[in-house]
Each structure stands twice: as C-alpha cells, then as structure tokens.
C-alpha cells in the first residue's frame, strides 16, 4: 500500500471534519475555525534502553526540583515572618505545591506499564531505587504525615 490511507473520514452534524490516517496524524476542522494537527506516537521507538531511561527520569526529577523550590519559598516566607503579616492562609499554596509535585513524582516512579518508573527500572534498578524510595518516603512524610 502506497501513501497515506485514510482510516477515518467522518462529518458530524455540525459541519466538522475529523480525519485520521495510519501514520498517526489527526486533523480536525471545525466550522468555528479551530484547527488541530497532531502527531501521537510512542516516544520510545527507535531509542535504546539507557536513553529512554534517562528521558523518563527527567520528569520525576523536575517534580522534585519544583517541590524543592516551593519548599524553599515556604521556609523563607515563614522564616521572614510573612505569615504574620498576611491574613489567613495565603502561603498555603506553597505547601500544596510541595505536596502535589512530590505525589506526581512518586506516582510517575511506580514501575508499572507505561509510567516513567517502569522505563527507569528496566534501564537501571539502582538509579530507580535511589530516586523512587526517597520520593515515596517524602510523600509519606509531607502528605500522609506518617513520621
């Protein structure tokens, strides 16, 4: 079969046209002038296990860095006494920023199916353990107040 094969060409009642092909391109044309053209595919195709592991490790590391930035801002704001000046819980978003980023990073490091943890785990179990276990402990401490 040569060229692109149209897998779906359907018009709805509102004049929109949805078109997809086997290469993964999806085109949506609506009567209200919204155009979307995307390419969805598995990013890990054609790269080795180490590169895929490093790429997958970056996401949880960014979550850890963001949690650290929120945590430092929270410590600085409380140390400087800004909590006494502001009425209510105005700096509560800093604590939430720490917790949300820790939970997202810990969830991504679960070694299951398509999550980043599986890719890092299959690449190097020591690096996975060095990132995942402290991250899960940090979630237990900050979110669940275990210790």
């Amino acid at each position: 079969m040569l060229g692109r094969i149209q897998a779906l060409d359907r018009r709805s009642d509102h004049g929109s046209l949805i078109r997809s092909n086997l290469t993964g391109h999806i085109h949506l044309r609506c009567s209200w002038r919204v155009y979307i053209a995307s390419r969805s595919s598995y990013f890990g195709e054609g790269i080795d296990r180490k590169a895929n592991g490093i790429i997958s490790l970056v996401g949880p590391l960014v979550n850890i860095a963001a949690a650290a930035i929120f945590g430092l801002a929270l410590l600085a704001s409380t140390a400087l006494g800004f909590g006494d000046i502001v009425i209510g819980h105005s700096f509560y978003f800093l604590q939430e920023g720490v917790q949300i980023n820790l939970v997202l990073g810990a969830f991504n490091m679960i070694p299951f199916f398509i999550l980043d943890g599986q890719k890092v785990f299959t690449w190097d179990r020591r690096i996975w353990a060095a990132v995942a276990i402290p991250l899960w402990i940090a979630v237990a401490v900050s979110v669940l107040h275990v210790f």
Side-chain angles (χ1 to χ4, degrees), residues 15-57:
S16 63
L17 174 67
I18 301 171
R19 193 174 277 153
S20 175
N21 57 39
L22 295 180
T23 61
H25 295 279
I26 298 171
H27 304 280
L28 170 66
R29 192 185 93 206
C30 301
S31 58
W32 56 88
R33 304 283 188 235
V34 176
Y35 298 98
I36 300 172
S38 68
R39 166 94 169 115
S40 61
S41 67
Y42 178 66
F43 185 70
E45 293 176 8
I47 60 174
D48 63 341
R49 188 175 292 185
K50 181 180 179 181
N52 199 11
I54 292 171
I55 291 168
S56 297
L57 187 61

Side-chain angles (χ1 to χ4, degrees), residues 95-116:
Q95 183 180 359
E96 290 295 318
V98 171
Q99 292 176 350
I100 288 171
N101 279 291
L102 288 177
V103 168
L104 283 174
F107 181 78
N108 266 334
M109 288 305 289
I110 296 173
F112 180 72
F113 195 46
I114 61 170
L115 296 176
D116 291 334

Side-chain angles (χ1 to χ4, degrees), residues 57-71 97-98 100-106 109 130-132 134-136 138:
L57 187 61
V58 170
L61 289 179
V62 168
N63 287 121
I64 292 169
I69 291 169
F70 277 108
V98 171
I100 288 171
N101 279 291
L102 288 177
V103 168
L104 283 174
M109 288 305 289
V131 175
L135 194 54
W136 292 339

